[in-house]
Amino acid sequence: MVIIMMILCLFRANNVIHARTPATYQVGGMYGWDTIIPMDSWARGKIFYAGDILEFKYNYLTSNLVVVNRTGYETCIANENAKEYTSGDDRISLPYGLSYYIGTFDANDCSAGLKMAIRAN
Ligand SMILES: *[C@@H]1O[C@H](CO)[C@@H](O)[C@H](O)[C@H]1NC(C)=O
């Protein structure tokens, strides 16, 4: 019994050491989700993990956020079944693998840089 308890304790301690608290990122940094800087350049060089939170801040009267697939990202046209966000302050938990985000409120936004591809580890 004691041995089992010790093993359980070791296992738990090990888990605590290796557990990582999900990070929260404000997309675009101080600019937010905006065409001021290309959003892909904001994401470049950062290492994301599944479960991290992306916070998209924008003016909901002039912008939006659409989670698209790769085709939507490449063409700047939201694919069918793409989920649109319009709150102006959306928090999205990153799924594992590749995710694509574009802004489509103004037809030119996405091609002007309001697009982002992220790979979460
Ligand atoms: C994206 O979704 C559209 C519409 O459902 C589909 O036609 C297209 O093949 C998809 N692209 C990818 C890369 O999955």
Side-chain angles (χ1 to χ4, degrees):
M1 187 62 192
V2 171
I3 288 172
I4 289 170
M5 295 273 288
M6 276 172 62
I7 288 169
L8 276 178
C9 275
L10 279 175
F11 182 72
R12 285 194 59 112
N14 202 37
N15 264 357
V16 169
I17 290 163
H18 291 282
R20 182 179 163 280
T21 318
T24 299
Y25 296 92
Q26 183 170 318
V27 175
M30 60 189 269
Y31 303 113
W33 177 244
D34 201 286
T35 53
I36 293 176
I37 56 165
M39 287 297 117
D40 269 324
S41 74
W42 171 81
R44 201 166 298 138
K46 294 182 176 64
I47 297 170
F48 298 97
Y49 293 93
D52 283 350
I53 306 289
L54 296 180
E55 182 169 20
F56 295 81
K57 286 194 167 180
Y58 53 90
N59 181 342
Y60 67 91
L61 297 174
T62 56
S63 197
N64 70 346
L65 167 68
V66 189
V67 182
V68 294
N69 67 12
R70 186 169 49 81
T71 310
Y73 170 81
E74 283 167 358
T75 59
C76 279
I77 299 167
N79 52 278
E80 251 176 71
N81 309 319
K83 182 157 173 51
E84 183 183 9
Y85 292 84
T86 56
S87 82
D89 188 352
D90 308 313
R91 294 166 63 88
I92 298 178
S93 176
L94 258 182
Y96 178 79
L98 276 162
S99 303
Y100 302 94
Y101 308 90
I102 64 175
T104 61
F105 193 98
D106 183 305
N108 297 316
D109 282 350
C110 174
S111 37
L114 203 58
K115 61 191 299 192
M116 185 172 72
I118 279 187
R119 181 188 296 277
N121 299 290

